[in-house]
Amino acid sequence: MKTFYKTLVLGVFLAVLAVATPTFAQDVCADLPANQALYDQYINNYKGTLEQKKTAVKAGKEYIEKYAACEAFAQQVDYLKKAVPKKEEEVKTETAAVEQAARYQRFDKAMKAGNTAEIYASGEDIIKAEPDFLDVILVLASVGLDEAAEKQNDTYNAKATEYAKSAIKKLESGVKSNSGKFGAYKYEYNTKNNAIGWMNYTVGYINYYRLKDKNSGVEYLYKATQIDSETKDRDFIYALIGDKYVEKADALNKEIIVLIKAADNKETFESKTKLAMSKGYADRALEAYSKAYEVAKANMNKEKDATKKAQMKEYVDNVYNTLKGLYKFRYETVEKPIPDTDLVTQLNTLIASVASKPLTNPTTEVKPVDPPSEDEKTTDSTTSTTTTTTTTPASTTKTPAPTTTKPVTKTMTNGSAVKTEADKTGNKPKRKR
């Protein structure tokens, strides 16, 4: 009986539901005031503000769902089926524009306040929505470089190098500057090549000075000199590369001295091999310092301020003295000393020759100069050690660590930075259209 009773109740319920459903549909179609009110909600809002348009879209969708089966309202339903999707797309576009404007305002506010943490947070919010917004990427890389170079703040090193590398990749693949200025605010680089140069400089500087990764640093700094950019006129980059070669030559020289002493003050095949390699590094160092000398001299000649020019001349003279020491290490022996008058003539000739050619990429293999033959490997040498193998090819010029990194006219002199007041401020990042 219980089973029969449950079945009977369920059957009655289904019967009632079947009867009630058409009655409900009929009542909806017959409710003219409700129909008119919902339709008016769409008509009265679809041309209004963004919020009104959202209301209209909601009302239109509800109308279609509610009255699709009502023959009396077929015309209104057909109209809304065409109009509502278009209006919904319009709402999406306007909503995106409002959100975009809010992101730009936030970034602009952070830049004007100099709030680095907020600059990165708001800038990354922009890039998340617009991955190819090159100008913002350039700004984020530049802000990180300033933090590292001017404030010795390493908090943003990883982000700065990440964005600099991203900018290089996008620039080289043809991504356009949104503003046409290749950057924004005081970080406008104005040309594609200048932006590429400074982004390579950014990675190189942070790697070399802040992360102490000199090999990677030199690689990127070298790239910064190989493009038509302001960075190719930063003489200290060439001197840094020269420093790296001098370090290598000096290390080899110390090994040579140990080897010769161990062989009763006689040269050996191994010491000769190392000497040949040391001279190879000396040749590279001469090339790099010649470039540094020529660029530093050109920068000095452009300087109008007498005090700054005097400082720059001191730096130029120091680089030249370094070149003298390197040249003597490379070419002079006790048996064949180079007189001072000949030294200047020979060195100037070398500088003119080397400086007119592209600088050798520091990542390429350094070749030994006049290495000993295999025959000498088994022959004892009785040559005296009174050669330049005991001379340390140390640099007499201190390569300056730059303290300013903005894309303006700058020249490094004796560790201090000379710059013009050409920074441009207050330029908002242009909206991507």
Side-chain angles (χ1 to χ4, degrees), residues 338-358:
I338 303 173
D340 287 344
T341 52
D342 292 345
L343 173 62
V344 170
T345 302
Q346 292 175 24
L347 178 58
N348 288 346
T349 301
L350 181 140
I351 291 172
S353 172
V354 169
S356 63
K357 300 173 184 175

Side-chain angles (χ1 to χ4, degrees), residues 151-432:
K151 302 177 184 178
Q152 286 73 58
N153 178 9
D154 295 322
T155 304
Y156 304 100
N157 286 344
K159 287 182 180 291
T161 54
E162 174 191 348
Y163 287 121
K165 290 176 182 179
S166 174
I168 292 168
K169 187 175 180 180
K170 289 181 184 298
L171 285 161
E172 291 179 342
S173 66
V175 174
K176 304 294 183 183
S177 164
N178 305 67
S179 65
K181 297 287 183 74
F182 293 92
Y185 302 92
K186 60 185 177 182
Y187 305 110
E188 289 182 352
Y189 296 96
N190 298 317
T191 69
K192 174 182 174 179
N193 283 348
N194 199 37
I196 292 175
W198 275 99
M199 291 303 100
N200 276 295
Y201 177 89
T202 296
V203 179
Y205 177 92
I206 291 175
N207 282 353
Y208 191 98
Y209 285 105
R210 307 308 304 171
L211 302 180
K212 307 305 179 186
D213 183 357
K214 292 187 176 182
N215 289 330
S216 176
V218 164
E219 180 181 348
Y220 278 95
L221 288 170
Y222 166 77
K223 290 178 182 177
T225 69
Q226 299 303 296
I227 194 165
D228 187 17
S229 168
E230 293 168 343
T231 52
K232 69 182 174 59
D233 295 327
R234 293 177 73 75
D235 43 70
F236 85 93
I237 294 177
Y238 304 96
L240 275 181
I241 295 171
D243 285 351
K244 289 292 293 177
Y245 293 133
V246 167
E247 287 176 10
K248 295 284 189 180
D250 187 33
L252 285 170
N253 230 40
K254 289 175 181 176
E255 294 175 15
I256 292 167
I257 293 171
V258 172
L259 287 169
I260 290 175
K261 285 183 178 179
D264 295 327
N265 289 328
K266 293 179 182 179
E267 288 185 304
T268 65
F269 178 82
E270 189 177 358
S271 70
K272 289 178 180 179
T273 300
K274 289 183 181 292
L275 177 60
M277 201 68 225
S278 180
K279 288 183 177 180
Y281 282 113
D283 276 345
R284 287 284 189 92
L286 282 166
E287 178 191 15
Y289 271 106
S290 293
K291 285 283 188 182
Y293 175 73
E294 288 296 307
V295 173
K297 190 167 62 172
N299 290 335
M300 178 188 69
N301 291 336
K302 294 175 189 174
E303 182 56 57
K304 302 298 182 183
D305 184 275
T307 301
K308 293 176 182 178
K309 194 161 189 169
Q311 293 174 341
M312 295 168 81
K313 185 179 185 305
E314 183 181 353
Y315 176 67
V316 170
D317 290 344
N318 283 342
V319 175
Y320 192 78
N321 287 332
T322 294
L323 282 164
K324 281 183 178 179
L326 282 168
Y327 191 89
K328 292 184 76 171
F329 166 78
R330 168 63 178 84
Y331 293 104
E332 187 179 68
T333 64
V334 172
E335 293 85 356
K336 294 181 179 179
I338 303 173
D340 287 344
T341 52
D342 292 345
L343 173 62
V344 170
T345 302
Q346 292 175 24
L347 178 58
N348 288 346
T349 301
L350 181 140
I351 291 172
S353 172
V354 169
S356 63
K357 300 173 184 175
L359 181 66
T360 302
N361 189 329
T363 63
T364 59
E365 182 185 2
V366 176
K367 300 292 180 65
V369 176
D370 298 328
S373 66
E374 284 298 314
D375 291 340
E376 293 181 71
K377 196 168 187 177
T378 56
T379 303
D380 290 332
S381 173
T382 57
T383 305
S384 170
T385 60
T386 54
T387 66
T388 54
T389 54
T390 58
T391 303
T392 300
S395 165
T396 59
T397 182
K398 239 180 162 182
T399 304
T403 56
T404 183
T405 56
K406 298 180 179 64
V408 296
T409 304
K410 297 173 286 293
T411 304
M412 303 308 304
T413 60
N414 270 354
S416 62
V418 180
K419 69 169 188 172
T420 66
E421 298 303 320
D423 293 356
K424 299 175 182 177
T425 57
N427 299 305
K428 298 179 181 179
K430 306 297 182 182
R431 178 177 295 184
K432 186 176 181 182

Side-chain angles (χ1 to χ4, degrees), residues 11-73:
V12 171
F13 173 75
L14 292 174
V16 171
L17 183 63
V19 172
T21 301
T23 303
F24 173 74
Q26 187 177 357
D27 289 342
V28 168
C29 294
D31 191 352
L32 295 180
N35 177 286
Q36 187 64 50
L38 191 57
Y39 189 77
D40 286 346
Q41 194 174 10
Y42 177 84
I43 295 299
N44 294 334
N45 288 285
Y46 82 102
K47 288 185 178 180
T49 64
L50 176 58
E51 290 305 314
Q52 286 179 303
K53 289 175 183 178
K54 289 179 180 179
T55 299
V57 168
K58 183 180 178 182
K61 286 183 173 182
E62 185 180 344
Y63 190 98
I64 293 168
E65 182 181 358
K66 203 169 186 180
Y67 300 110
C70 299
E71 187 177 348
F73 308 126

